[in-house]
Amino acid sequence: MDIIRRIEAVATSGTEIPKPEAKTRFWVKGWGRRRGERALIYLIPNNRGGRPYEEGVTESELIRAYEQLFRTGSFTKSLFNSELPGAAKEGGCNFTTIGGVFRLVGEARHATRGIYSKI
């Protein structure tokens, strides 16, 4: 899908992911595997020092979230929790990562807590 190619073009290794309330930097590691499919892997700082944590969002999760954003004009935390349970179970920061990636490709803005709106 076109949105994945666009994400691949901007979310390269080392790219910072914009997060609305983060006090530390989150950044792209690259592409790998999560939940049995290809996924965008990103790093979360370890506040106790040591190696950063890794999390990821799958291609199908990115596509589903984008379809919601495109169809309704927003991507919400409630939709994330109900429609992307694998991503939600791995961590709530996957929501802001998806929104941040959509910001990087110029498709969304952070409207308010729990809501990204289509630009």
Side-chain angles (χ1 to χ4, degrees):
M1 180 172 213
D2 181 55
I3 190 63
I4 298 300
R5 284 192 299 275
R6 290 173 58 206
I7 291 168
E8 288 171 332
V10 298
T12 57
S13 181
T15 301
E16 186 169 350
I17 301 167
K19 300 268 193 165
E21 297 176 18
K23 293 175 180 31
T24 57
R25 184 175 175 257
F26 290 64
W27 66 100
V28 174
K29 178 179 181 184
W31 292 86
R33 296 197 66 78
R34 276 290 191 273
R35 295 176 289 289
E37 68 176 283
R38 187 168 183 259
L40 178 67
I41 307 299
Y42 64 97
L43 300 170
I44 303 168
N46 182 336
N47 293 330
R48 291 176 272 171
R51 290 181 19 173
Y53 301 106
E54 285 187 19
E55 288 193 12
V57 181
T58 68
E59 282 188 359
S60 66
E61 291 164 342
L62 289 164
I63 290 167
R64 223 161 153 193
Y66 181 74
E67 288 170 346
Q68 177 71 17
L69 177 69
F70 188 79
R71 189 174 60 252
T72 68
S74 65
F75 173 59
T76 66
K77 182 75 181 260
S78 60
L79 172 100
F80 170 78
N81 288 332
S82 65
E83 299 297 319
L84 305 174
K89 184 177 180 182
E90 186 174 272
C93 60
N94 278 340
F95 171 73
T96 54
T97 294
I98 293 169
V101 168
F102 291 165
R103 287 176 63 191
L104 287 173
V105 296
E107 288 289 341
R109 68 177 181 81
H110 181 252
T112 188
R113 188 179 191 116
I115 300 174
Y116 285 88
S117 297
K118 183 159 180 45
I119 293 178

